[in-house]
């Protein structure tokens, strides 16, 4: 596999006062991939960009600390993937030529409170949305296949109890999801798989540190 990557980003921190601040980050990236396998030759150009902004409010009094974090992020990708026959390690007859646009949006909020430097309680949730458009350019008529995945809520709750400076117990409950990756939606076999659903998972955790 031959792969070239370029990544650039810019992050800005702004303090409104001693309690309230913001961090905003934007990035752009480009990847060029050549993957000659024994059954085909895949070439991908993958430009994408995105941004994230986070507002944080933190207040301390006595032995207590309260913090709330809220923000959002967005990512956009505009990929082109070409799959050809492999002839002696070089691309031969074109099999598929696909343009792919992938969009991801997310908003989130989380609150944390530390009581008497002994208890830490956390609760948060995010709302996520993603969509994909795939256009196969080497077949006529050219038809775009689209899929918008339903909004996904991902909540998380956790409790931590400190016992002195060297030991603590914690428990957490979280629900998450993972939308299909670009490689799964458009594998090198050339089969477009927009019917794939997002994976779902619930995580229960109990432990000590």
């Amino acid at each position: 596999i031959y792969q070239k990557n370029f990544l650039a980003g810019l992050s800005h921190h702004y303090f409104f006062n001693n309690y309230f601040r913001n961090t905003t980050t934007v990035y752009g990236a480009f990847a060029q991939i050549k993957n000659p396998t024994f059954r085909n030759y895949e070439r991908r150009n993958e430009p994408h960009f995105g941004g994230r902004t986070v507002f944080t409010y933190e207040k301390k009094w006595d032995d207590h600390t309260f913090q709330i974090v809220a923000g959002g992020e967005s990512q956009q990708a505009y990929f082109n993937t070409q799959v050809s026959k492999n002839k002696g390690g070089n691309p031969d007859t074109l099999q598929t030529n696909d343009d792919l646009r992938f969009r991801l949006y997310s908003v989130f909020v989380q609150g944390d409170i530390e009581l008497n430097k002994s208890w830490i309680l956390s609760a948060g949730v995010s709302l996520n949305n993603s969509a994909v458009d795939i256009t196969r350019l080497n077949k006529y008529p050219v038809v775009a296949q689209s899929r918008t995945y339903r909004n996904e809520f991902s909540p998380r709750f956790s409790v931590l109890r400190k016992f002195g400076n060297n030991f603590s117990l914690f428990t957490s409950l979280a629900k998450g999801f993972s939308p299909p990756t670009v490689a799964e939606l458009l594998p090198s076999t050339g089969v477009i798989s927009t019917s794939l659903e997002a994976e779902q998972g619930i995580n229960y955790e109990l432990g000590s540190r």
Side-chain angles (χ1 to χ4, degrees):
I1 297 178
Y2 307 92
Q3 182 167 335
K4 298 178 182 178
N5 294 292
F6 174 80
L7 173 64
L10 182 67
S11 188
H12 178 262
H13 304 276
Y14 186 80
F15 292 83
F16 298 94
N17 50 46
N18 292 332
Y19 311 109
F20 191 43
R21 63 185 184 271
N22 171 265
T23 299
T24 298
T25 302
V26 294
Y27 83 93
F30 179 80
Q32 186 179 71
I33 302 164
K34 297 179 181 179
N35 183 19
T37 70
F38 67 90
R39 62 180 305 276
N40 57 36
Y41 192 109
E42 182 184 33
R43 292 174 292 176
R44 306 201 310 263
N45 290 312
E46 300 182 343
H48 52 104
F49 60 91
R52 175 184 178 94
T53 186
V54 179
F55 293 90
T56 303
Y57 177 83
E58 185 176 18
K59 178 73 172 180
K60 296 182 179 180
W61 71 99
D62 297 331
D63 291 332
H64 313 308
T65 302
F66 172 74
Q67 177 179 272
I68 187 167
V69 178
E73 68 177 47
S74 175
Q75 297 183 32
Q76 298 268 351
Y78 299 90
F79 295 172
N80 177 261
T81 300
Q82 297 182 22
V83 178
S84 307
K85 290 183 179 179
N86 189 339
K87 187 173 183 179
N90 294 298
D92 191 27
T93 307
L94 182 67
Q95 295 177 334
T96 59
N97 181 10
D98 299 293
D99 279 345
L100 185 146
R101 182 186 179 194
F102 189 80
R103 304 176 298 281
L104 174 66
Y105 308 95
S106 177
V107 292
F108 53 88
V109 61
Q110 176 171 311
D112 305 283
I113 186 167
E114 183 177 5
L115 302 173
N116 298 318
K117 295 185 178 180
S118 298
W119 290 90
I120 299 178
L121 311 176
S122 297
V125 65
S126 66
L127 174 64
N128 309 271
N129 179 270
S130 59
V132 63
D133 300 318
I134 300 176
T135 304
R136 179 144 289 172
L137 303 175
N138 63 303
K139 285 190 176 182
Y140 298 93
V142 174
V143 177
Q145 298 188 41
S146 301
R147 175 72 189 274
T148 299
Y149 296 92
R150 69 175 183 266
N151 293 333
E152 298 279 358
F153 284 95
S154 296
R156 179 181 181 273
F157 306 94
S158 69
V159 178
L160 184 143
R161 175 68 164 94
K162 295 180 180 179
F163 298 91
N165 295 323
N166 300 316
F167 183 73
S168 63
L169 294 174
F170 66 90
T171 182
S172 68
L173 170 63
K175 178 180 180 293
F177 81 105
S178 175
T181 65
V182 171
E184 292 169 330
L185 293 170
L186 191 62
S188 61
T189 57
V191 178
I192 298 176
S193 304
T194 54
S195 60
L196 289 175
E197 299 289 348
E199 294 178 327
Q200 304 283 340
I202 298 179
N203 185 67
Y204 305 91
E205 204 169 336
L206 178 65
S208 63
R209 297 172 182 169

